[in-house]
Amino acid sequence: MRIIDVVDYNTQWPNLFAEESAVLLTALENKISRIHHVGSTSVPGMAAKPVIDILLEVNDREALDSLDRAMESVGYVARGEYGIPNRRYFSKGGEQRSHQVHAFIIGDEHILKLLAFRNYLIKNEEIAKRYAEIKRAGALASENDIRRYSAFKAGFIEHHLRLAIIAHEQKQSS
C-alpha cells in the first residue's frame, strides 16, 4: 500500500532531479528534446510528497512510443497513458515511489500546463504555502487513498492552473 506522506521541502530534491536527468539522458539517447523538473518538489521551499516529477519532451510519436524498454532498463515501470491522453507515464520505486516521469511530444498542451503551474507556484510563495497546507490536509484526510488525495486538491489546482496559464500567456505577449 502506498503511503501518502507530505514532507517539508528537501534541499536535495534539485540534486535528485539532476542525477536522474543524467541517467535518463544517457538511457534515452536522442529521443529527448528537453527535460524539466516539475511538480511540488521543483518549487523551492514547498512541502511535497517526496517523489521527483520529471517532464520529458520527446521529438515525435515514434520516439514517445519507443521509450518503454529504455525506461525499464533504468528501473522504471511503464504505465501507458495512465489517465492522460497522449502521455507516457513511468514510475520508479514501487509502492514507495521515488520518481515519476511524464513524457509528451513537443508542443502537447500538458507540457504548458505543467510548466506554467510550476512557474506560477515559484513566483507566488503565499499560494505555494496554501497549496502545501492543502496537500498536508489531503494526506491526512485521504487515509492513503490516492484518488481521495487527488480529489482533495483538485479544486485548488484547477483554479490556480487557470491563473497560471493566464499569467504565462500575458508574459508571452509582453
Side-chain angles (χ1 to χ4, degrees):
M1 174 191 221
R2 268 178 71 194
I3 304 295
I4 300 171
D5 190 20
V6 176
V7 301
D8 290 339
Y9 181 76
N10 182 333
T11 58
Q12 289 304 305
W13 288 339
N15 295 334
L16 294 172
F17 164 74
E19 290 168 7
E20 196 67 14
S21 293
V23 168
L24 293 172
L25 288 168
T26 299
L28 300 174
E29 301 170 14
N30 61 351
K31 295 176 184 174
I32 300 174
S33 172
R34 286 184 216 109
I35 187 166
H36 309 274
H37 189 185
V38 294
S40 297
T41 61
S42 70
V43 180
M46 187 169 164
K49 290 186 307 182
V51 179
I52 306 300
D53 277 285
I54 299 171
L55 169 62
L56 300 180
E57 293 185 59
V58 299
N59 299 322
D60 52 37
R61 172 73 58 197
E62 183 179 327
L64 185 65
D65 290 337
S66 70
L67 295 176
D68 289 6
R69 181 171 287 146
M71 292 296 286
E72 289 169 353
S73 76
V74 292
Y76 284 86
V77 174
R79 300 187 179 275
E81 289 185 335
Y82 209 66
I84 297 178
N86 302 314
R87 171 178 75 167
R88 297 302 176 271
Y89 176 73
F90 305 89
S91 63
K92 186 175 193 176
E95 288 295 321
Q96 293 310 308
R97 187 169 300 173
S98 61
H99 298 79
Q100 49 195 20
V101 172
H102 314 267
F104 295 96
I105 297 171
I106 295 169
D108 190 283
E109 69 181 30
H110 289 93
I111 295 169
L112 167 64
K113 289 178 180 180
L114 288 164
L115 295 175
F117 192 60
R118 177 201 64 193
N119 295 343
Y120 174 81
L121 291 173
I122 290 171
K123 289 180 181 174
N124 295 281
E125 190 175 323
E126 287 304 312
I127 293 167
K129 284 181 184 176
R130 283 204 329 256
Y131 185 36
E133 291 167 5
I134 288 168
K135 290 162 66 80
R136 286 186 192 276
L140 290 172
S142 70
E143 299 176 342
N144 295 316
D145 181 327
I146 195 68
R147 287 185 182 92
R148 286 174 52 195
Y149 174 73
S150 296
F152 196 91
K153 304 180 311 173
F156 179 93
I157 292 171
E158 289 170 16
H159 173 74
H160 288 282
L161 178 57
R162 281 193 298 274
L163 296 176
I165 290 172
I166 290 168
H168 174 80
E169 290 171 350
Q170 288 173 342
K171 183 179 177 185
Q172 295 302 317
S173 67
S174 61

